[in-house]
Amino acid sequence: MPRFSIIVPSHGVAGRLGQALDSVLAQSFGDFELIPVCDAPGSAAADVADRHSERDSRVAPVHAPPSAGLAGARNAGMRAATGTYLLFLDGDDVLVPGALAALDARLAETGPVDVLHCEHERVPWWEGEPGNPAAPLLARAPDGVFAPERAPHLTGVSLPAWSAAWRRAFVAEHHLAFPAGHFTDVGWGGQALLGAERTAVLRSVVVRHQVRRQGSRLNLPGEHHAELLDQVELVLGLAAEQGLPAERSGPLFDQLFAAVLKTAAHPRRLPSGGRRAFFRRASVLYRRHRPDGHRTPGGSLGVQHRLLAAGSYPAFRALRGANRAGARTVAALPRPRGLRTRLRYRMQLRRPLDPNLAVYCAYWGRGYACNPAAIHAKARELAPHIRSVFLVEAGQEHTVPDGVEYAVIGSHRAWEVLARATYLINNANFAEGVVKRPGSVHLQTQHGTPLKTMGIDQSTYPVVAAATGSFTKLLGRVDRWDYNLSSNPHSTRVWERAFPGSYEQLEYGYPRNDVYCTATADDVARIRAELGVPEGSTAVLYAPTHRDHHTGFDPGLDLEAFCAAAGEDVVVLLRAHYFYDRGGPRTGGRVIDVTAHRSSEDVCLAADALITDYSSIMFDYANLDRPIVIHAADWDVYRETRGVCFDLMAEPPGPVTRTPDELARVFRDGSCAGPESAALRARFRERFCAFDDGRAAERVVRRVLLGEPPEALPPVIPLAERVPAPAAATTLVRS
């Protein structure tokens, strides 16, 4: 029997679940079982849990449907638990180093106790000092083992369930379970402390609670706030049945109604039709359960107590609404931070939105490209009533195909369409001064699957953070997003962590990758001819990524020497990172520079194999099921300076080489296309090509621009049933 059973619900926190599980597995005290509770096999969280269970036999995932909520997940975990003590850890929190050792040492001192309360740290999601809200409560508790009546302020309802260790035999003896619904910690803690006989405290931090940028889900507006009263009624009803003495019932009553009044005082948490009903029911509960001789608190809280006791909702509403009207008026004023055309932009913001206007932009205006271009093309087919305008930088007008309306970034016309468009679609971000108008829809398409750290995850890497600029401004731009596009479950988890916001994730695939399933052999031949690939040659695409610690572009390889060593039919298509687009093609010998070519998709279709280091192009190219080689000459340096989301060396899409000789050899002997390489690529494709089936653009247009419900969209075609575009060369064959 393990000492601890650690139960980790994971619904909605897949992006941070790995950190939570890692914090447990890294503990110096190892006598535990770790029970992640996931939605269902194959879900994003289940994939994370399965990877950890493969690594460590102490990890034993179980499943509970999302409809069961947090309570159902924890109860499912308890049913599977075999440890002496139960610990609960939210999937986006972590155990601090040494936490389990500290708990075990304290339990060795106290002997068996029903509940061991411990401290926890609330860490601001970005800036600010951590707090320890449990410390003042635990400081007033006796030092040794004590009965609950000796510390009546420890009622159980003001501390989360993950701020204690719970003896499993005690839980089973009292048939304790988390009550259904929201605010389940209130019901659980209250019931448990009413039944406990031996309690103790550990005055050190065990859990680091990482506050979400979006705030607690419990504080979001909705009818679920009425469930707080269900928990209050449950706990106070049980206390009444037990005949709880006044010295304990008084603190319990005060703590419960402090939570009730906090909710009632925030009208935005409750729907307008439910505020009066919430207050009236709370008033009934207040009068029914108020202990004899109860003393009303002083100050403003005391006034709220008296109004609740009297059932005077109009007076309570008037008190609550003081000073709110002025604040609302100030907040409603538009505050655009326009650039050269600020005044004109502000004037346009006063006009109504155009319901049939969409504005697109890619790579900060570099041209007609990537996911925005693919969505734009599909919208012209499926939603021709929507007028589409593509934004480009001055000098990039030539990249826009004939018949596509465009505007130059910074022009009066560009700011006019930005002010009035209902739909704004970008693979980066619109300018700082763009105002998110009520009724507008912003779609962030992203422009790659992340291997390197992104968003706020970059903050701990000094070189990258310095180049990123203000993270506060970055997150202000994130707040404009209504939808964020994802091409695979891995990306979904990374975006959730790197760009915290209230947007909806669309797991539809990348529209730019549709062509990898729809292009024909004739298309491939045409593109190769346009790029100047000699007929009958093997075209190898070399696409190194940008390095933040370098200035200027260094190809990192002698490409002519590689061609000579790899084979007489090999030519290289060199595509540098778009930061190094120097404006025109350059060809010399067997190296063809395609950096300036508008479409990376065309370049990938033309290539029979890919060599890259750490560029996200590998994830897109994998859709073609053609050989991929990772040339990782400086992996350790890149990982330390840039940061990565997973270990590419442990899960590569093909052979990994470190030297030019190794690289040439895998092409010369054909091992880049051999069975071992094919097996690596198959595993990589299964993880990173989940949604790219050729219909991503259609799903996006139907959902975002036409407003169709998710269930009406084309389902994703399974990976095994897709037929990628054919390669031109016969020497490197697809698995």
Side-chain angles (χ1 to χ4, degrees):
M1 178 187 297
R3 182 67 154 164
F4 299 109
S5 294
I6 305 166
I7 298 165
V8 188
S10 64
H11 179 64
V13 294
R16 295 191 179 276
L17 178 60
Q19 295 177 345
L21 302 184
D22 288 342
S23 75
V24 178
L25 296 179
Q27 293 290 311
S28 58
F29 182 91
D31 187 14
F32 63 83
E33 62 181 357
L34 177 55
I35 306 175
V37 187
C38 309
D39 296 347
S43 65
D47 290 344
V48 176
D50 289 344
R51 288 178 180 274
H52 282 75
S53 66
E54 292 170 2
R55 196 173 84 209
D56 195 311
S57 61
R58 294 173 296 179
V59 183
V62 299
H63 298 97
S67 58
L70 177 62
R74 286 175 173 169
N75 291 335
M78 285 197 293
R79 288 192 293 271
T82 62
T84 305
Y85 285 89
L86 302 173
L87 297 176
F88 301 100
L89 182 69
D90 282 358
D92 51 358
D93 294 340
V94 297
L95 287 184
V96 302
L100 295 185
L103 285 168
D104 178 67
R106 180 59 174 154
L107 289 169
E109 294 173 354
T110 63
V113 293
D114 299 329
V115 183
L116 175 63
H117 298 283
C118 52
E119 296 178 2
H120 64 272
E121 191 174 59
R122 286 178 56 88
V123 182
W125 79 273
W126 189 246
E127 295 177 344
E129 292 297 320
N132 188 339
L137 290 171
L138 303 192
R140 295 159 50 198
D143 290 333
V145 178
F146 56 90
E149 54 265 25
R150 292 184 57 202
H153 64 286
L154 290 178
T155 65
V157 302
S158 56
L159 292 173
W162 38 260
S163 194
W166 313 85
R167 188 165 61 88
R168 188 168 63 87
F170 158 71
V171 170
E173 178 185 349
H174 288 77
H175 306 287
L176 294 177
F178 284 88
H182 295 77
F183 306 95
T184 186
D185 281 11
V186 173
W188 164 269
Q191 291 181 89
L193 266 294
L194 288 172
E197 296 179 359
R198 289 173 53 85
T199 58
V201 300
L202 170 62
R203 296 188 181 95
S204 63
V205 171
V206 168
V207 173
R208 181 168 293 124
H209 173 59
Q210 302 180 112
V211 178
R212 290 165 54 89
R213 177 173 183 248
Q214 304 93 315
S216 170
R217 294 184 180 92
L218 295 180
N219 294 336
L220 295 175
E223 297 179 353
H224 64 277
H225 287 282
E227 297 175 15
L228 172 60
L229 300 181
D230 296 338
Q231 306 292 351
V232 170
E233 187 168 20
L234 171 69
V235 174
L236 290 179
L238 184 59
E241 290 177 10
Q242 294 185 4
L244 203 67
E247 58 269 18
R248 290 190 63 191
S249 62
L252 177 64
F253 181 86
D254 283 341
Q255 290 179 20
L256 286 169
F257 277 95
V260 169
L261 288 168
K262 185 176 181 179
T263 296
H266 289 77
R268 285 173 292 183
R269 293 185 183 179
L270 297 161
S272 58
R275 296 168 192 165
R276 185 182 295 271
F278 180 92
F279 186 88
R280 286 178 173 173
R281 184 183 171 198
S283 179
V284 171
L285 290 174
Y286 188 97
R287 291 192 295 270
R288 179 188 303 162
H289 293 286
R290 180 169 51 186
D292 293 338
H294 177 257
R295 296 184 62 180
T296 302
S300 175
L301 181 60
V303 175
Q304 295 179 54
H305 269 258
R306 294 185 184 91
L307 294 176
L308 188 62
S312 179
Y313 180 70
F316 184 86
R317 184 177 58 186
L319 176 66
R320 181 189 65 197
N323 299 322
R324 289 184 180 271
R328 284 196 300 269
T329 301
V330 172
L333 293 174
R335 299 187 180 194
R337 291 172 289 171
L339 303 177
R340 293 177 294 174
T341 54
R342 177 175 180 175
L343 293 178
R344 179 182 291 269
Y345 181 57
R346 294 188 66 174
M347 290 176 61
Q348 293 296 331
L349 288 173
R350 298 173 184 171
R351 301 177 62 190
L353 289 173
D354 184 338
N356 294 319
L357 176 59
V359 172
Y360 298 79
C361 190
Y363 297 117
W364 303 275
R366 288 185 62 249
Y368 186 85
C370 196
N371 292 318
I375 296 169
H376 174 274
K378 184 59 68 172
R380 298 178 76 183
E381 173 190 335
L382 299 179
H385 62 286
I386 293 181
R387 174 191 169 206
S388 299
V389 180
F390 223 95
L391 300 186
V392 293
E393 287 183 324
Q396 295 297 320
E397 297 91 335
H398 66 281
T399 68
V400 182
D402 292 341
V404 173
E405 185 178 354
Y406 68 88
V408 175
I409 291 176
S411 67
H412 289 176
R413 186 160 169 273
W415 282 106
E416 178 181 349
V417 295
L418 282 169
R420 301 207 53 213
T422 294
Y423 306 100
L424 293 99
I425 299 167
N426 205 330
N427 74 349
N429 266 306
F430 288 101
E432 198 71 48
V434 171
V435 174
K436 166 64 171 166
R437 297 185 64 181
S440 66
V441 177
H442 286 236
L443 168 64
Q444 168 59 253
T445 74
Q446 302 293 347
H447 52 272
T449 291
L451 165 62
K452 59 190 177 186
T453 55
M454 303 292 290
I456 64 170
D457 286 350
Q458 300 172 342
S459 63
T460 56
Y461 296 89
V463 174
V464 187
T468 300
S470 169
F471 287 98
T472 300
K473 291 182 178 180
L474 167 66
L475 291 165
R477 297 189 289 270
V478 170
D479 285 339
R480 297 191 300 224
W481 303 354
D482 294 289
Y483 298 107
N484 182 55
L485 200 55
S486 174
S487 58
N488 48 62
H490 160 79
S491 294
T492 302
R493 295 192 293 269
V494 173
W495 302 145
E496 175 190 326
R497 184 178 66 245
F499 301 114
S502 57
Y503 52 83
E504 179 182 346
Q505 298 270 22
L506 299 183
E507 292 185 313
Y508 292 171
Y510 277 165
R512 72 180 185 191
N513 291 345
D514 286 352
V515 68
Y516 298 140
C517 291
T518 61
T520 65
D522 289 341
D523 294 324
V524 173
R526 172 183 53 79
I527 295 167
R528 285 168 70 95
E530 291 174 356
L531 295 177
V533 178
E535 189 172 349
S537 64
T538 297
V540 177
L541 172 60
Y542 177 51
T545 193
H546 167 66
R547 284 158 173 73
D548 299 271
H549 56 287
H550 285 179
T551 57
F553 174 63
D554 177 2
L557 282 173
D558 184 335
L559 297 178
E560 288 289 353
F562 164 77
C563 290
E568 60 184 15
D569 65 333
V570 172
V571 298
V572 168
L573 303 176
L574 170 62
R575 188 168 182 84
H577 191 277
Y578 57 80
F579 286 174
Y580 308 111
D581 179 358
R582 290 165 288 184
R586 286 161 301 282
T587 303
R590 293 161 66 180
V591 178
I592 304 172
D593 191 332
V594 294
T595 301
H597 188 76
R598 178 178 59 84
S599 170
S600 63
E601 295 77 55
D602 282 359
V603 173
C604 287
L605 286 168
D608 302 298
L610 169 68
I611 301 172
T612 186
D613 41 22
Y614 325 117
S615 170
S616 66
I617 200 170
M618 74 178 80
F619 302 99
D620 305 308
Y621 192 83
N623 286 286
L624 290 168
D625 198 11
R626 302 176 189 175
I628 302 174
V629 178
I630 301 298
H631 187 59
D634 62 346
W635 168 251
D636 293 335
V637 174
Y638 186 83
R639 181 178 56 189
E640 291 301 318
T641 57
R642 187 59 173 83
V644 294
C645 303
F646 69 96
D647 186 358
L648 179 64
M649 300 302 102
E651 302 176 89
V656 176
T657 63
R658 302 279 186 169
T659 68
D661 288 343
E662 290 177 358
L663 180 62
R665 186 184 312 122
V666 298
F667 282 89
R668 190 169 57 245
D669 64 17
S671 59
C672 66
E676 293 183 8
S677 298
L680 289 171
R681 189 166 68 250
R683 288 194 292 270
F684 191 85
R685 280 165 49 81
E686 184 177 353
R687 183 177 181 189
F688 296 110
C689 300
F691 309 135
D692 287 334
D693 64 348
R695 303 192 69 178
E698 179 182 352
R699 284 188 281 269
V700 171
V701 171
R702 292 191 181 281
R703 177 69 189 284
V704 177
L705 300 183
L706 297 179
E708 295 183 10
E711 59 271 16
L713 304 181
V716 174
I717 299 171
L719 189 63
E721 299 177 16
R722 302 175 202 167
V723 180
T730 58
T731 53
L732 296 176
V733 294
R734 183 181 304 121
S735 61

